Amino acid sequence: MLDSEIHDLSDDADYAASLQQGSASVMLCNDSTKESSSASELDGAEIVYSKENVAIHPTQFAISGRLKLIKQGSSLFMTWIPYKGHNADTGLSDKDRNLYTIRAVPFTEIRSIRRHTPALGWQYIIVVLSTGLAYPPLYFYSGGVKEFLATIKQHVLLVRSAEDANVFLVNDFQSTLQRTLSSLELPRAVPLARGPSNMSVDESTLNENEERNDSGVNNGSVSVPQFHRRPRHKVHDPARDLSIQVLEKFSLVTKFARETTSQLFRENQTNGFSTNERRTQIQTNLDPPKSSNVAGKISDENSAVPDSLEFDNLSLVWGKPRQPPLDSKEWITFLDSEGRVTDSEAMRKRIFYGGLDHELRNEVWGLLLGYYTYDSTYAEREFLKSVKKSEYENIKNQWQSISPAQAKRFTKFRERKGLIEKDVVRTDRSITFYEGDDNPNVNVLRDILLTYSFYNFDLGYCQGMSDLLSPILFVMDDESEAFWCFVALMERLGPNFNRDQNGMHSQLFALSKLVELLDSPLHNYFKQRDCLNYFFCFRWILIQFKREFEYEKTMLLWEVLWTHYPSEHLHLYVCVAVLKRYRSKIMGEEMDFDSLLKFINELSGHIDLDATLRDAEALSICAGEEGAARIPPGTPPSLPVDEGSFYIQQDDEVL
Amino acid sequence: MPSRRRTLLKVIILGDSGVGKTSLMNQYVNKKFSNQYKATIGADFLTKEVQFEDRLFTLQIWDTAGQERFQSLGVAFYRGADCCVLVYDVNSVKSFDNLNNWREEFLIQANPSDPENFPFVVIGNKIDIDGGNSRVVSEKKARAWCAAKGNIPYFETSAKEGINVEEAFQTIAKDALKSGEEEELYLPDTIDVGNSSQPRSTGCEC
Ligand SMILES: Nc1nc2c(ncn2[C@@H]2O[C@H](COP(=O)(O)OP(=O)(O)O)[C@@H](O)[C@H]2O)c(=O)[nH]1
Ligand SMILES: [Mg+2]
C-alpha cells in the first residue's frame, strides 16, 4: 500500500515531466560524442556497458546523459555524465550539471538497484547507496535496463531481493539482519541530501548536518560495527529522490520492526553475533515496536539528556523540492479548448509542488475551492458567475433592507454587524489593498461577511473569518466571486468556528495523535508538560496559518493546502513539521505551556514555508494510512460525517 | 524561616471583543497605541517587570480572544491566575452587561481556591471617544456593580490616550501579589526545601 503511494509520489511528476521534455532530450542525443572522457580518471579501465539517452528529471526538465559501467581490476564502477551543451534551454547551469554527474561510484558503495517498469513511459532505475542515499531515478529512454542489470551481474554479486522482485541487492553477502539494521540507520543519512533545489533550506542547517554526519556517524544507539566498515560515501549528488528512499525505508523499518524481527532471529543463527548480542541490538533499536518512527525511537533513549542537534538530524525528513509557481502558459496545458480541466489530479499535483503565479489565482482558486467544477467550460463558468452574482445580491439585500428603525429592534443584527465592523478595520490594514482611511475594500470585506452571516445564519460571524476572507477578496477582486469562494472555503472550515468548537477540538486531537505517531519523544515531552491540548497551535489551525506568514506566502500555502494533495489534512502535517523543526529548542529550553505558546506565537514571520512544506509532505507520506487513521472522520477540512448535526444552535450566544 | 515567594504574577484580561483588551495591555507594557492591532486569535501574553518594596516581580498579562465561542480555551489559559481584569467599553451597554458573564465564566474555568475573595479589577475603557459624549454606561452604574460584587476596584481608562492605564495596572499588580501571597499560606513549608537556590527566587532568607 505504502509502496504504491510512494511510487505515485515520485514517479508521476517525473513521468509527466518526461512526457513534456523527453522528446527534446532524445533528439539531442547526437551531440553526445562530444563527451567522451568520463572514464579518463580510471587508468586501465574497461568500459563494459555504455548506454546513451539515460536521463534524470531533477526538475520539470530532463537532463540526458550517458550511463556506463567501467571495470578496473576487480572493481566495477558506474558513471553517468550528462551531455554538454544542449541542456541550455532547460536553464540548467554547468554548476547544476556538475552536481548531478555521477562520477565513478564503486559498486562496493552501492547497496541496491531498484527497477521500475511502468506500463506507460520509460523504464528507470533508482540506485541506492550503502549510506541510504539514492541517486535520482535514471530513465532509460532507449531501453536497456535488463542489459544493464545483466552486465552488473557478470561482475559483482547481484541478487533479487526476497521482499521485492524489482529490487536487486548488490554484494549482498551481509545477513538480512544487518540489512535491517542498515535500513534502520537511514534517517541519519537524510540530512546529507542537498542539491540545487535544496538551496532554499537554511544553509547553516545544512552545514551543521554535514558536520555532524562526518563526525558523528556512530553517535546514535545503532551500533553495529559491521555495518560501518563500509566507507561513508560523501555524496555531492543532490539525490533528488532521497525522500522517496527515506520513505521506503521508513516503511521497510516499520514492517521489519513489527513483523519480522523474530523471524530474523531464526534465520540468522549462524552469522557473527551470538543470539544474545543480536537480541540486545535489535531491542535497542526496535523497541518499543509500536512506534514506527525510527528517528524518534533512537532519540527516545537519549531523552534524559537531549542532544538537540542530534534530535534534529535524526528526525528531519525531506519531501520533494518545491517547484516554481504554475504560470499561465503551463496552466492552459491543463485545460481543453473549452476550458475544462482535463486531468484535475495532475493539475492539483502541479499546484501542490509550486503554487500559482499570482495572476492565475483569480482563475484557479474558484476551481481549487470547488466553487467551479473542474469539468466546467469557460462559458459555463461565466454563466455561473452571473447567476451567482444575482443570488449574492439577493442575500445581501436581506440585511441591506433592514431600516435603522428596524435595526433598533433587532439586537442580534446590530451586534453581529458591530462585531464584524470591529474586525474588518483591524484586518490586514497594512496591505495596500486594505490600507488607509475609508478604504472601500474594507467596506466590501464587511458586506461580504455580513452577507455570509445571513447566508449561514446559524454559524453567523466568528472572529478569524475576516482573516480567511481577506486574501480571497484580494485575489478575486469581485464582491460576489469573493463571497462564493469564501462560502466554498467555509464548507471545509466552517466547523472551525462552531459554537461548540468541535471542529477545532477534533483537529487539535488529530494533531496530538499525529505527533505521537511521528515524533514520540516530542509527544512524551508535551504529555509530561501537560501540553497535549495543543492550544498553542490554535491560531495556526483556526485560520490556516494566516497570521504566521506574510501575505504572499499565505496565499501560496493556502492553494497548496486546497489541492488536498497528498493529504486532505496536510495542514496538520504542516503543524507537525514546524513542531519537529523546533523540537530541539522546545525540549532543550524545557518550555512549559506558557513559554511554548509564546514561542509559537513569536514564530510568526519566521517559518520557512518551502522547507516546512517539504517536511510536511514527507511526513504525510511517512504516516501513510496510519496517519490517516489517526484523524477522526469529519475532521475539517473533511466534510462532516453527519450533515445534520453541525451548526447546533446554543442559547449562550447567537451573534 | 524560609518561605517560597513567587515572582511570577499571572493576570488575565477578559471582556467582549473590541473593548480594547489588546490595546490596554500594549499601552501598559509598551507604552504604545496602534489602531492596527489585529483581532486576537487564541491567546497571547506580554510580561512586564514590576517592583514592590525592593522586590522584583514579573507580571504576565494574558490577552485572549473576546468572542464567547472561544471560551472553551479558557481552561488552559486561566489556570493559575492571580488576578482577573474585566474590561468593558463605556460606549457599549452590551459589553458592560456581559461583565457578569465573563466573571462567572472565569470563576468556573479558573477554579480558584477561594472564589469569594479572588481579586478582580474592572476597567471601563475608551473614555476618550467623542470627548465622552457617546458614552452609554455611567461611572455611577459601573461603580455600583463593582460594589455589589465585593468591592471590585474600578478604573476608567483610555488605552488610546494612555489615560489611567498605569494606575489601573498598579492596582492589578498589587492585588495579584496579595492573592499570590495568600495562596502561599496553603503551601506546606517542606515544599520550600531546595528551592532557595533557584536564581529567580527571592525568598526572605537572604
Ligand atoms: N478611541 C479609542 N479606541 C480604542 C481604545 N482602545 C482600543 N481602541 C480601538 O478599539 C478597537 C479594538 O481594540 P482591541 O485592543 O483590539 O480590542 P480587543 O478585542 O478587546 O483586544 C481597535 O480598533 C482599537 O484601536 C481607546 O481607549 N480609545
Ligand atoms: Mg484583542
mmCIF file of all heavy atoms in Angstrom, chain A residues 422 425-426 463, chain B residues 15-24 33-40 63-64 66 125-129 157-161, ligand 1:
data_model
loop_
_atom_site.group_PDB
_atom_site.id
_atom_site.type_symbol
_atom_site.label_atom_id
_atom_site.label_comp_id
_atom_site.label_asym_id
_atom_site.label_seq_id
_atom_site.Cartn_x
_atom_site.Cartn_y
_atom_site.Cartn_z
ATOM 1 N N LYS A 422 -15.936 45.884 13.829
ATOM 2 C CA LYS A 422 -14.736 45.996 14.667
ATOM 3 C C LYS A 422 -13.584 45.188 14.085
ATOM 4 O O LYS A 422 -12.417 45.557 14.244
ATOM 5 C CB LYS A 422 -15.037 45.478 16.077
ATOM 6 C CG LYS A 422 -15.611 46.557 16.975
ATOM 7 C CD LYS A 422 -15.654 46.108 18.413
ATOM 8 C CE LYS A 422 -16.414 47.121 19.249
ATOM 9 N NZ LYS A 422 -17.773 46.658 19.615
ATOM 10 N N VAL A 425 -11.910 46.500 10.410
ATOM 11 C CA VAL A 425 -10.978 47.621 10.483
ATOM 12 C C VAL A 425 -9.642 47.223 11.084
ATOM 13 O O VAL A 425 -8.699 48.013 11.099
ATOM 14 C CB VAL A 425 -11.550 48.825 11.282
ATOM 15 C CG1 VAL A 425 -12.770 49.378 10.572
ATOM 16 C CG2 VAL A 425 -11.892 48.426 12.709
ATOM 17 N N ARG A 426 -9.552 46.022 11.599
ATOM 18 C CA ARG A 426 -8.233 45.569 12.072
ATOM 19 C C ARG A 426 -7.782 44.309 11.332
ATOM 20 O O ARG A 426 -7.107 43.457 11.865
ATOM 21 C CB ARG A 426 -8.214 45.373 13.590
ATOM 22 C CG ARG A 426 -9.476 44.801 14.188
ATOM 23 C CD ARG A 426 -9.394 44.717 15.713
ATOM 24 N NE ARG A 426 -10.604 44.060 16.214
ATOM 25 C CZ ARG A 426 -10.760 43.585 17.422
ATOM 26 N NH1 ARG A 426 -9.792 43.674 18.288
ATOM 27 N NH2 ARG A 426 -11.885 42.994 17.778
ATOM 28 N N GLN A 463 -14.828 35.486 14.891
ATOM 29 C CA GLN A 463 -13.500 36.055 14.679
ATOM 30 C C GLN A 463 -12.596 35.034 13.997
ATOM 31 O O GLN A 463 -12.612 33.859 14.337
ATOM 32 C CB GLN A 463 -12.901 36.494 16.006
ATOM 33 C CG GLN A 463 -13.631 37.697 16.570
ATOM 34 C CD GLN A 463 -12.881 38.323 17.719
ATOM 35 O OE1 GLN A 463 -12.473 37.632 18.634
ATOM 36 N NE2 GLN A 463 -12.713 39.638 17.677
ATOM 37 N N GLY B 15 -13.098 40.245 28.498
ATOM 38 C CA GLY B 15 -14.096 41.228 28.094
ATOM 39 C C GLY B 15 -14.485 40.995 26.652
ATOM 40 O O GLY B 15 -13.794 40.267 25.928
ATOM 41 N N ASP B 16 -15.580 41.607 26.246
ATOM 42 C CA ASP B 16 -16.071 41.406 24.882
ATOM 43 C C ASP B 16 -15.023 41.804 23.848
ATOM 44 O O ASP B 16 -14.144 42.623 24.110
ATOM 45 C CB ASP B 16 -17.327 42.250 24.648
ATOM 46 C CG ASP B 16 -18.558 41.567 25.221
ATOM 47 O OD1 ASP B 16 -18.402 40.525 25.887
ATOM 48 O OD2 ASP B 16 -19.680 42.094 25.012
ATOM 49 N N SER B 17 -15.204 41.224 22.685
ATOM 50 C CA SER B 17 -14.317 41.549 21.586
ATOM 51 C C SER B 17 -14.396 43.037 21.262
ATOM 52 O O SER B 17 -15.476 43.607 21.193
ATOM 53 C CB SER B 17 -14.744 40.721 20.377
ATOM 54 O OG SER B 17 -14.115 41.202 19.234
ATOM 55 N N GLY B 18 -13.271 43.655 21.099
ATOM 56 C CA GLY B 18 -13.237 45.044 20.663
ATOM 57 C C GLY B 18 -13.303 46.087 21.758
ATOM 58 O O GLY B 18 -13.301 47.279 21.465
ATOM 59 N N VAL B 19 -13.350 45.677 23.015
ATOM 60 C CA VAL B 19 -13.433 46.679 24.084
ATOM 61 C C VAL B 19 -12.074 47.347 24.329
ATOM 62 O O VAL B 19 -12.005 48.393 24.966
ATOM 63 C CB VAL B 19 -13.957 46.081 25.415
ATOM 64 C CG1 VAL B 19 -15.405 45.608 25.235
ATOM 65 C CG2 VAL B 19 -13.064 44.953 25.905
ATOM 66 N N GLY B 20 -11.012 46.711 23.837
ATOM 67 C CA GLY B 20 -9.691 47.330 23.975
ATOM 68 C C GLY B 20 -8.723 46.565 24.864
ATOM 69 O O GLY B 20 -7.779 47.146 25.393
ATOM 70 N N LYS B 21 -8.921 45.272 25.008
ATOM 71 C CA LYS B 21 -8.037 44.469 25.871
ATOM 72 C C LYS B 21 -6.592 44.495 25.368
ATOM 73 O O LYS B 21 -5.651 44.756 26.123
ATOM 74 C CB LYS B 21 -8.541 43.010 25.938
ATOM 75 C CG LYS B 21 -9.937 42.860 26.494
ATOM 76 C CD LYS B 21 -10.379 41.411 26.548
ATOM 77 C CE LYS B 21 -10.549 40.780 25.164
ATOM 78 N NZ LYS B 21 -11.606 41.427 24.355
ATOM 79 N N THR B 22 -6.446 44.185 24.073
ATOM 80 C CA THR B 22 -5.099 44.153 23.499
ATOM 81 C C THR B 22 -4.454 45.535 23.569
ATOM 82 O O THR B 22 -3.270 45.666 23.890
ATOM 83 C CB THR B 22 -5.168 43.663 22.036
ATOM 84 O OG1 THR B 22 -5.790 42.369 22.020
ATOM 85 C CG2 THR B 22 -3.793 43.547 21.420
ATOM 86 N N SER B 23 -5.255 46.552 23.319
ATOM 87 C CA SER B 23 -4.717 47.917 23.357
ATOM 88 C C SER B 23 -4.283 48.305 24.762
ATOM 89 O O SER B 23 -3.235 48.933 24.941
ATOM 90 C CB SER B 23 -5.770 48.905 22.852
ATOM 91 O OG SER B 23 -6.155 48.583 21.546
ATOM 92 N N LEU B 24 -5.069 47.932 25.762
ATOM 93 C CA LEU B 24 -4.710 48.250 27.147
ATOM 94 C C LEU B 24 -3.397 47.581 27.529
ATOM 95 O O LEU B 24 -2.515 48.193 28.128
ATOM 96 C CB LEU B 24 -5.822 47.787 28.098
ATOM 97 C CG LEU B 24 -7.044 48.706 28.226
ATOM 98 C CD1 LEU B 24 -8.190 47.981 28.917
ATOM 99 C CD2 LEU B 24 -6.671 49.984 28.994
ATOM 100 N N PHE B 33 0.132 52.828 21.458
ATOM 101 C CA PHE B 33 -1.217 52.523 20.981
ATOM 102 C C PHE B 33 -1.176 52.493 19.464
ATOM 103 O O PHE B 33 -0.554 53.320 18.812
ATOM 104 C CB PHE B 33 -2.216 53.595 21.429
ATOM 105 C CG PHE B 33 -3.598 53.390 20.863
ATOM 106 C CD1 PHE B 33 -4.471 52.492 21.450
ATOM 107 C CD2 PHE B 33 -4.015 54.083 19.723
ATOM 108 C CE1 PHE B 33 -5.743 52.291 20.922
ATOM 109 C CE2 PHE B 33 -5.289 53.872 19.190
ATOM 110 C CZ PHE B 33 -6.153 52.981 19.794
ATOM 111 N N SER B 34 -1.832 51.498 18.896
ATOM 112 C CA SER B 34 -1.913 51.422 17.445
ATOM 113 C C SER B 34 -3.334 51.010 17.122
ATOM 114 O O SER B 34 -3.905 50.153 17.798
ATOM 115 C CB SER B 34 -0.924 50.384 16.922
ATOM 116 O OG SER B 34 -1.401 49.834 15.710
ATOM 117 N N ASN B 35 -3.929 51.643 16.121
ATOM 118 C CA ASN B 35 -5.260 51.097 15.793
ATOM 119 C C ASN B 35 -5.154 50.035 14.716
ATOM 120 O O ASN B 35 -6.107 49.722 14.037
ATOM 121 C CB ASN B 35 -6.269 52.201 15.431
ATOM 122 C CG ASN B 35 -5.634 53.273 14.578
ATOM 123 O OD1 ASN B 35 -4.682 52.989 13.842
ATOM 124 N ND2 ASN B 35 -6.140 54.486 14.680
ATOM 125 N N GLN B 36 -3.973 49.454 14.610
ATOM 126 C CA GLN B 36 -3.787 48.357 13.651
ATOM 127 C C GLN B 36 -3.594 46.999 14.324
ATOM 128 O O GLN B 36 -3.237 46.036 13.657
ATOM 129 C CB GLN B 36 -2.577 48.638 12.763
ATOM 130 C CG GLN B 36 -2.682 49.976 12.043
ATOM 131 C CD GLN B 36 -2.414 49.856 10.560
ATOM 132 O OE1 GLN B 36 -1.658 49.000 10.135
ATOM 133 N NE2 GLN B 36 -3.043 50.708 9.779
ATOM 134 N N TYR B 37 -3.812 46.932 15.633
ATOM 135 C CA TYR B 37 -3.736 45.605 16.251
ATOM 136 C C TYR B 37 -4.760 44.707 15.586
ATOM 137 O O TYR B 37 -5.877 45.123 15.311
ATOM 138 C CB TYR B 37 -4.035 45.681 17.748
ATOM 139 C CG TYR B 37 -2.996 46.434 18.542
ATOM 140 C CD1 TYR B 37 -3.353 47.471 19.387
ATOM 141 C CD2 TYR B 37 -1.643 46.099 18.436
ATOM 142 C CE1 TYR B 37 -2.400 48.173 20.107
ATOM 143 C CE2 TYR B 37 -0.689 46.799 19.145
ATOM 144 C CZ TYR B 37 -1.066 47.839 19.982
ATOM 145 O OH TYR B 37 -0.125 48.526 20.677
ATOM 146 N N LYS B 38 -4.341 43.472 15.373
ATOM 147 C CA LYS B 38 -5.291 42.530 14.786
ATOM 148 C C LYS B 38 -6.162 41.945 15.881
ATOM 149 O O LYS B 38 -5.768 41.942 17.052
ATOM 150 C CB LYS B 38 -4.524 41.416 14.077
ATOM 151 C CG LYS B 38 -3.666 41.979 12.977
ATOM 152 C CD LYS B 38 -2.973 40.931 12.157
ATOM 153 C CE LYS B 38 -2.352 41.634 10.950
ATOM 154 N NZ LYS B 38 -1.893 40.733 9.934
ATOM 155 N N ALA B 39 -7.319 41.474 15.507
ATOM 156 C CA ALA B 39 -8.168 40.797 16.485
ATOM 157 C C ALA B 39 -7.388 39.607 17.036
ATOM 158 O O ALA B 39 -6.730 38.883 16.289
ATOM 159 C CB ALA B 39 -9.451 40.321 15.823
ATOM 160 N N THR B 40 -7.440 39.455 18.339
ATOM 161 C CA THR B 40 -6.671 38.379 18.962
ATOM 162 C C THR B 40 -7.288 37.021 18.613
ATOM 163 O O THR B 40 -8.492 36.835 18.734
ATOM 164 C CB THR B 40 -6.657 38.567 20.487
ATOM 165 O OG1 THR B 40 -6.270 39.916 20.771
ATOM 166 C CG2 THR B 40 -5.697 37.610 21.151
ATOM 167 N N ASP B 63 -3.838 37.948 27.282
ATOM 168 C CA ASP B 63 -4.849 38.577 26.450
ATOM 169 C C ASP B 63 -5.504 37.469 25.634
ATOM 170 O O ASP B 63 -4.823 36.673 24.999
ATOM 171 C CB ASP B 63 -4.131 39.577 25.525
ATOM 172 C CG ASP B 63 -5.075 40.265 24.580
ATOM 173 O OD1 ASP B 63 -6.259 40.396 24.905
ATOM 174 O OD2 ASP B 63 -4.609 40.686 23.497
ATOM 175 N N THR B 64 -6.809 37.406 25.693
ATOM 176 C CA THR B 64 -7.478 36.308 24.999
ATOM 177 C C THR B 64 -8.457 36.852 23.967
ATOM 178 O O THR B 64 -8.771 38.032 23.961
ATOM 179 C CB THR B 64 -8.260 35.420 25.984
ATOM 180 O OG1 THR B 64 -9.124 36.271 26.738
ATOM 181 C CG2 THR B 64 -7.327 34.704 26.926
ATOM 182 N N GLY B 66 -11.930 37.667 22.425
ATOM 183 C CA GLY B 66 -13.102 38.097 23.169
ATOM 184 C C GLY B 66 -14.386 37.355 22.831
ATOM 185 O O GLY B 66 -15.352 37.413 23.578
ATOM 186 N N ASN B 125 -13.204 51.240 29.460
ATOM 187 C CA ASN B 125 -12.222 51.791 28.511
ATOM 188 C C ASN B 125 -12.883 52.693 27.463
ATOM 189 O O ASN B 125 -14.103 52.770 27.364
ATOM 190 C CB ASN B 125 -11.480 50.628 27.841
ATOM 191 C CG ASN B 125 -10.305 51.090 27.007
ATOM 192 O OD1 ASN B 125 -9.582 52.007 27.394
ATOM 193 N ND2 ASN B 125 -10.115 50.461 25.843
ATOM 194 N N LYS B 126 -12.051 53.337 26.723
ATOM 195 C CA LYS B 126 -12.440 54.206 25.603
ATOM 196 C C LYS B 126 -13.189 55.453 26.063
ATOM 197 O O LYS B 126 -14.124 55.916 25.393
ATOM 198 C CB LYS B 126 -13.290 53.440 24.566
ATOM 199 C CG LYS B 126 -12.620 52.190 23.989
ATOM 200 C CD LYS B 126 -13.274 51.774 22.683
ATOM 201 C CE LYS B 126 -12.803 50.405 22.238
ATOM 202 N NZ LYS B 126 -13.375 49.980 20.949
ATOM 203 N N ILE B 127 -12.767 56.007 27.179
ATOM 204 C CA ILE B 127 -13.447 57.224 27.645
ATOM 205 C C ILE B 127 -13.116 58.428 26.771
ATOM 206 O O ILE B 127 -13.761 59.463 26.860
ATOM 207 C CB ILE B 127 -13.078 57.549 29.116
ATOM 208 C CG1 ILE B 127 -11.555 57.628 29.283
ATOM 209 C CG2 ILE B 127 -13.670 56.533 30.078
ATOM 210 C CD1 ILE B 127 -11.138 58.267 30.598
ATOM 211 N N ASP B 128 -12.121 58.274 25.898
ATOM 212 C CA ASP B 128 -11.739 59.404 25.043
ATOM 213 C C ASP B 128 -12.723 59.642 23.905
ATOM 214 O O ASP B 128 -12.844 60.744 23.390
ATOM 215 C CB ASP B 128 -10.352 59.135 24.457
ATOM 216 C CG ASP B 128 -10.327 57.906 23.582
ATOM 217 O OD1 ASP B 128 -10.336 56.776 24.132
ATOM 218 O OD2 ASP B 128 -10.326 58.036 22.350
ATOM 219 N N ILE B 129 -13.430 58.602 23.499
ATOM 220 C CA ILE B 129 -14.246 58.716 22.283
ATOM 221 C C ILE B 129 -15.271 59.844 22.400
ATOM 222 O O ILE B 129 -16.016 59.927 23.378
ATOM 223 C CB ILE B 129 -14.953 57.368 21.984
ATOM 224 C CG1 ILE B 129 -13.910 56.343 21.509
ATOM 225 C CG2 ILE B 129 -16.043 57.545 20.923
ATOM 226 C CD1 ILE B 129 -14.475 55.038 21.038
ATOM 227 N N THR B 157 -10.484 54.263 31.755
ATOM 228 C CA THR B 157 -9.229 54.454 31.022
ATOM 229 C C THR B 157 -9.458 54.838 29.562
ATOM 230 O O THR B 157 -10.560 54.693 29.029
ATOM 231 C CB THR B 157 -8.398 53.148 30.983
ATOM 232 O OG1 THR B 157 -9.147 52.168 30.279
ATOM 233 C CG2 THR B 157 -8.061 52.652 32.372
ATOM 234 N N SER B 158 -8.382 55.283 28.964
ATOM 235 C CA SER B 158 -8.306 55.332 27.513
ATOM 236 C C SER B 158 -6.976 54.702 27.119
ATOM 237 O O SER B 158 -5.917 55.251 27.419
ATOM 238 C CB SER B 158 -8.378 56.772 27.000
ATOM 239 O OG SER B 158 -7.874 56.809 25.673
ATOM 240 N N ALA B 159 -7.067 53.562 26.473
ATOM 241 C CA ALA B 159 -5.839 52.915 26.004
ATOM 242 C C ALA B 159 -5.204 53.766 24.912
ATOM 243 O O ALA B 159 -3.993 53.807 24.764
ATOM 244 C CB ALA B 159 -6.147 51.515 25.477
ATOM 245 N N LYS B 160 -6.053 54.475 24.204
ATOM 246 C CA LYS B 160 -5.561 55.296 23.105
ATOM 247 C C LYS B 160 -4.735 56.466 23.623
ATOM 248 O O LYS B 160 -3.628 56.715 23.157
ATOM 249 C CB LYS B 160 -6.750 55.813 22.293
ATOM 250 C CG LYS B 160 -6.357 56.555 21.042
ATOM 251 C CD LYS B 160 -7.590 56.964 20.260
ATOM 252 C CE LYS B 160 -7.202 57.760 19.026
ATOM 253 N NZ LYS B 160 -8.404 58.245 18.324
ATOM 254 N N GLU B 161 -5.284 57.174 24.591
ATOM 255 C CA GLU B 161 -4.595 58.350 25.120
ATOM 256 C C GLU B 161 -3.673 58.010 26.290
ATOM 257 O O GLU B 161 -2.984 58.888 26.810
ATOM 258 C CB GLU B 161 -5.618 59.401 25.594
ATOM 259 C CG GLU B 161 -6.752 59.698 24.609
ATOM 260 C CD GLU B 161 -6.281 60.526 23.419
ATOM 261 O OE1 GLU B 161 -5.167 61.075 23.484
ATOM 262 O OE2 GLU B 161 -7.018 60.593 22.415
HETATM 263 N N1 LIG C 1 -10.762 55.618 20.790
HETATM 264 C C1 LIG C 1 -10.279 54.519 21.390
HETATM 265 N N2 LIG C 1 -10.181 53.391 20.673
HETATM 266 C C2 LIG C 1 -9.689 52.301 21.300
HETATM 267 C C3 LIG C 1 -9.273 52.314 22.639
HETATM 268 N N3 LIG C 1 -8.829 51.082 22.963
HETATM 269 C C4 LIG C 1 -8.953 50.329 21.852
HETATM 270 N N4 LIG C 1 -9.471 51.058 20.848
HETATM 271 C C5 LIG C 1 -9.807 50.584 19.494
HETATM 272 O O1 LIG C 1 -10.799 49.586 19.626
HETATM 273 C C6 LIG C 1 -10.582 48.532 18.702
HETATM 274 C C7 LIG C 1 -10.427 47.228 19.452
HETATM 275 O O2 LIG C 1 -9.278 47.258 20.251
HETATM 276 P P1 LIG C 1 -8.525 45.964 20.716
HETATM 277 O O3 LIG C 1 -7.499 46.364 21.694
HETATM 278 O O4 LIG C 1 -8.069 45.183 19.547
HETATM 279 O O5 LIG C 1 -9.729 45.219 21.445
HETATM 280 P P2 LIG C 1 -9.815 43.725 21.996
HETATM 281 O O6 LIG C 1 -10.595 42.945 21.003
HETATM 282 O O7 LIG C 1 -10.559 43.844 23.282
HETATM 283 O O8 LIG C 1 -8.433 43.235 22.179
HETATM 284 C C8 LIG C 1 -9.349 48.901 17.936
HETATM 285 O O9 LIG C 1 -9.747 49.495 16.724
HETATM 286 C C9 LIG C 1 -8.649 49.897 18.821
HETATM 287 O O10 LIG C 1 -7.891 50.798 18.073
HETATM 288 C C10 LIG C 1 -9.383 53.549 23.361
HETATM 289 O O11 LIG C 1 -9.064 53.673 24.530
HETATM 290 N N5 LIG C 1 -9.891 54.608 22.687
#
